[in-house]
Amino acid sequence: MLEVQGLQKRFGGVTAVADGALTLREGELLSIIGPNGAGKTTLFNLISGLEPPDAGSVRFQGQDITGAVPEALAALGIARTFQHGRVFGNLSVLDNVLVGAHTRLRAVKPALPLLGPLLEMALAALRPPAVRAEEAALRRDAEQILARFGDRLLPRLHQPAFSLSYANRRRVEIARALALRPKLLLLDEPTAGMNQTETAEMQEVVADLKRSGLTILLIEHKLEMVMRLSDRVLVMDNGRRIAEGLPQQVRNNPAVIEAYLGHRHAGAEPVS
């Protein structure tokens, strides 16, 4: 489904990604791990169109998407979350999720190059039956997505997002990404800042998404979660891939142990 080759990104004299490369099959969960500053989030930014690469290529379902803008990638079915959760604070939980469904609008979004925006405004104001039906269907879908998170979000459906806890804002961000109905989901540290109970709940959410057949690219520092969920693990350090394989193989790789713990530990103990 996804093929990344030779991605490079420099910021001034700093090389954030020196040779980004990975393959991801449909229905697979691939985790990217590595110490802070390894280039993981920059790699995500290059894949998701937030940053243009200096070199290399990205292909999605056989199509070259190198340097494509995020809205074009969203239309293709690529959704992502961010390392530091981003929600629209003044919108309700429900409206935050509905924002993620923008690529699925049909009744209210005429495909006309020049008159389209004007007609869209008129349809939104007049709300004919087709528009009301589409809105109702999207709201039902959004509520089903929110139900994945148990009673964490549904009781807060109409509360503004700024009133939520940090963990619930992270949940809303993931729910918004799922409203896109993505073919590929990029999760950047979904459990960052969460306690043990919240992490366990999020792990089950991601596991459920994986069981549903969704293809997932995951950045995560909590290695127990990585080992439980991943089909394969890719390890980065200093902008380069230093190891890749099955979770247990990577866990015991001396290069990985050295990247996390330092040279004196290499070959002495597994990463835990």
Side-chain angles (χ1 to χ4, degrees):
M1 175 173 281
L2 182 70
E3 184 178 7
V4 176
Q5 294 184 338
L7 281 189
Q8 297 179 15
K9 185 64 181 180
R10 302 177 187 86
F11 297 98
V14 177
T15 301
V17 174
D19 185 21
L22 62 87
T23 58
L24 183 61
R25 295 182 290 271
E26 185 173 356
E28 188 177 29
L29 191 154
L30 172 65
S31 291
I32 302 176
I33 66 171
N36 290 331
K40 304 181 297 295
T41 293
T42 301
L43 181 62
F44 258 36
N45 290 345
L46 298 176
I47 293 171
S48 62
L50 286 184
E51 298 279 356
D54 296 321
S57 65
V58 182
R59 299 185 67 85
F60 176 66
Q61 293 187 319
Q63 178 179 345
D64 188 350
I65 60 169
T66 310
V69 294
E71 55 264 36
L73 299 181
L76 292 175
I78 300 176
R80 73 161 291 180
T81 65
F82 292 84
Q83 186 175 2
H84 305 289
R86 300 182 182 182
V87 296
F88 298 97
N90 289 326
L91 294 182
S92 69
V93 169
L94 178 61
D95 285 341
N96 263 278
V97 178
L98 287 172
V99 167
H102 67 283
T103 62
R104 296 164 52 195
L105 294 173
R106 296 293 180 268
V108 76
K109 203 166 185 178
L112 298 173
L114 299 177
L115 296 178
L118 294 176
L119 288 173
E120 184 175 343
M121 291 177 61
L123 289 169
L126 297 173
R127 301 183 74 248
V131 170
R132 293 199 301 270
E134 181 175 67
E135 181 181 348
L138 290 176
R139 285 179 177 272
R140 288 193 299 270
D141 187 53
E143 291 179 11
Q144 290 174 358
I145 292 170
L146 290 167
R148 286 182 175 272
F149 300 89
D151 62 356
R152 295 293 191 178
L153 296 178
L154 275 179
R156 301 168 175 84
L157 198 65
H158 301 294
Q159 291 182 14
F162 73 76
S163 68
L164 301 178
S165 67
Y166 175 80
N168 274 340
R169 291 197 298 272
R170 299 304 303 266
R171 294 181 178 104
V172 169
E173 186 188 26
I174 294 172
R176 186 178 63 210
L178 293 176
L180 183 72
R181 287 190 181 170
K183 300 174 184 175
L184 170 62
L185 178 62
L186 284 69
L187 296 174
D188 193 349
E189 295 192 41
T191 68
M194 291 188 179
N195 61 33
Q196 188 173 359
T197 299
E198 292 163 343
T199 295
E201 291 177 2
M202 184 60 68
Q203 178 175 309
E204 183 53 35
V205 168
V206 177
D208 184 57
L209 293 173
K210 179 183 176 183
R211 287 191 291 267
S212 74
L214 184 59
T215 307
I216 301 172
L217 193 58
L218 172 71
I219 294 175
E220 183 53 64
H221 276 293
K222 296 175 181 177
L223 295 182
E224 182 179 352
M225 177 174 169
V226 168
M227 295 299 154
R228 287 180 179 273
L229 292 178
S230 305
D231 295 304
R232 289 183 298 121
V233 179
L234 184 153
V235 189
M236 294 183 66
D237 190 25
N238 293 320
R240 295 184 179 276
R241 178 179 59 177
I242 62 170
E244 183 177 357
L246 299 176
Q248 196 57 41
Q249 294 172 333
V250 167
R251 188 188 197 116
N252 296 309
N253 187 304
V256 177
I257 297 171
E258 180 178 348
Y260 273 95
L261 301 177
H263 181 72
R264 68 187 181 88
H265 293 277
E269 56 183 294
V271 177
S272 60

